[in-house]
Amino acid sequence: MFVWSYGKTIFTSPATPSNEFCLSKADKEQYEKEERPESQQEILRRAAKDLPIYTTTASRAIRYCDRCQLIKPDRCHHCSACDVCVLKMDHHCPWVNNCVGFSNYKFFLLFLMYSLLYCLFVAATVLQYFIKFWTNELPDTHAKFHVLFLFFVAAMFFISILSLFSYHCWLVGKNRSTIETFRAPTFRNGPDKNGFSLGCSKNLREVFGDEKKYWLLPIFTSLGDGCNFPTRLVIMDPEQLAVSSQNEPAKSSVANQSFPRPLSESQNRLLSGDCQWVETGPEEENVKSGAKKHIIVSLES
């Protein structure tokens, strides 16, 4: 299992964004011709209007990769070592010479876990000979130095891997990546490190899948496509809560969904202007004005 997980972590190619996040040929040519950042952002906003993205840069700009020439999906980052944009990138690991991201994050966690168990097994089996070495009960051969070296190496790797594995278990429980821990993703309400957290149970299932029998096997079972993720801020959207409070059956059906889908393209308030959500139709204006007149008449009477 250790070798299997290690091999899957190494040889699994990092997942990259789909073609829908690439600019069209016309938009790409127009983007390259524009010199003003404001005009370039306007082109990106128009192209990203129909994309399921909810995060921006710290300056409220569309996240765009100039090297890959595509709009970055949520939690996607460009790896300078691999020279590609990696979906849900966690970090580039030199020990496996590969990027750890959406496609192999589960394999990386299993690799750490089985490495931890392997080091523990080696240290436990060599412990009795290590004790005999210090009590001078071990025969005076060259093998005793091998025993000493093997025990210290196993114990040293066990301690270091234990700290790394514990840290990534904490990240899974919080549904964060290493990059998001140091630089929180920016939503329309501002930076929020817990923006993608859905609760410990759902966060765990998002990485390992719904079938518990496959959790300990280095088989890809992660939920989603790596391009969009359910977010806590979208689930707690004020307008959604207002609508669901008026319709209790709808509210209960939404609550039963394990991984609610993101807002529809027409509801992507991150990329659309606020004016679109303030405008009301003529019929709604007539209803509101009639309601105000009714309240005034009732107060006068």
Side-chain angles (χ1 to χ4, degrees), residues 12-280:
T12 301
S13 301
T16 56
S18 57
N19 293 331
E20 63 177 337
F21 291 91
C22 298
L23 293 180
S24 63
K25 186 177 181 180
D27 289 338
K28 189 181 300 183
E29 292 177 355
Q30 187 178 0
Y31 179 85
E32 292 175 354
K33 290 179 182 179
E34 291 291 344
E35 297 181 356
R36 296 187 306 164
E38 296 81 6
S39 301
Q40 292 179 339
Q41 277 298 308
E42 185 61 31
I43 297 173
L44 295 180
R45 286 182 180 276
R46 185 172 63 251
K49 179 179 59 176
D50 298 329
L51 296 177
I53 59 176
Y54 300 101
T55 58
T56 63
T57 63
S59 60
R60 301 291 181 173
I62 301 297
R63 300 172 64 246
Y64 181 75
C65 180
D66 292 318
R67 292 190 61 85
C68 299
Q69 294 184 334
L70 54 81
I71 297 174
K72 294 180 182 179
D74 293 340
R75 318 184 80 175
C76 175
H77 299 276
H78 185 86
C79 177
S80 58
C82 299
D83 198 25
V84 292
C85 284
V86 181
L87 295 179
K88 195 185 178 183
M89 179 178 175
D90 188 88
H91 68 286
H92 184 88
C93 182
W95 293 99
V96 299
N97 192 28
N98 196 6
C99 265
V100 177
F102 176 76
S103 60
N104 61 352
Y105 189 61
K106 175 189 174 182
F107 307 147
F108 178 73
L109 290 174
L110 292 179
F111 162 63
L112 293 180
M113 185 187 71
Y114 289 122
S115 300
L116 193 67
L117 295 176
Y118 183 63
C119 292
L120 181 63
F121 172 77
V122 172
T125 54
V126 179
L127 180 61
Q128 57 177 331
Y129 301 101
F130 180 76
I131 296 175
K132 291 181 180 180
F133 172 80
W134 287 105
T135 56
N136 294 324
E137 296 179 6
L138 195 67
D140 191 10
T141 61
H142 295 290
K144 65 179 183 180
F145 297 102
H146 298 165
V147 170
L148 182 64
F149 175 79
L150 186 60
F151 179 81
F152 275 114
V153 169
M156 179 184 65
F157 273 97
F158 175 80
I159 296 174
S160 59
I161 294 176
L162 178 61
S163 60
L164 182 61
F165 180 68
S166 302
Y167 173 69
H168 279 279
C169 287
W170 178 78
L171 290 179
V172 171
K174 295 293 184 179
N175 203 343
R176 299 179 195 170
S177 64
T178 303
I179 297 177
E180 292 169 352
T181 303
F182 294 98
R183 185 172 65 250
T186 302
F187 297 86
R188 57 182 171 83
N189 294 333
D192 189 353
K193 290 184 178 181
N194 297 318
F196 293 104
S197 180
L198 305 175
C200 186
S201 176
K202 293 180 181 178
N203 295 340
L204 185 67
R205 286 162 49 201
E206 188 171 316
V207 175
F208 290 94
D210 292 324
E211 298 290 337
K212 294 184 179 180
K213 59 183 178 181
Y214 298 122
W215 281 12
L216 299 180
L217 296 178
I219 301 174
F220 183 80
T221 55
S222 300
L223 300 181
D225 57 0
C227 292
N228 58 50
F229 300 88
T231 66
R232 180 178 60 86
L233 299 180
V234 171
I235 296 174
M236 299 300 294
D237 186 85
E239 291 190 1
Q240 285 187 334
L241 292 178
V243 173
S244 61
S245 62
Q246 297 176 2
N247 191 354
E248 290 297 328
K251 180 178 179 180
S252 60
S253 62
V254 173
N256 292 330
Q257 294 181 0
S258 300
F259 289 93
R261 300 178 64 181
L263 293 175
S264 61
E265 296 173 354
S266 60
Q267 292 176 310
N268 196 337
R269 303 199 308 178
L270 176 65
L271 303 177
S272 59
D274 295 336
C275 59
Q276 298 179 0
W277 297 90
V278 180
E279 293 177 355
T280 55

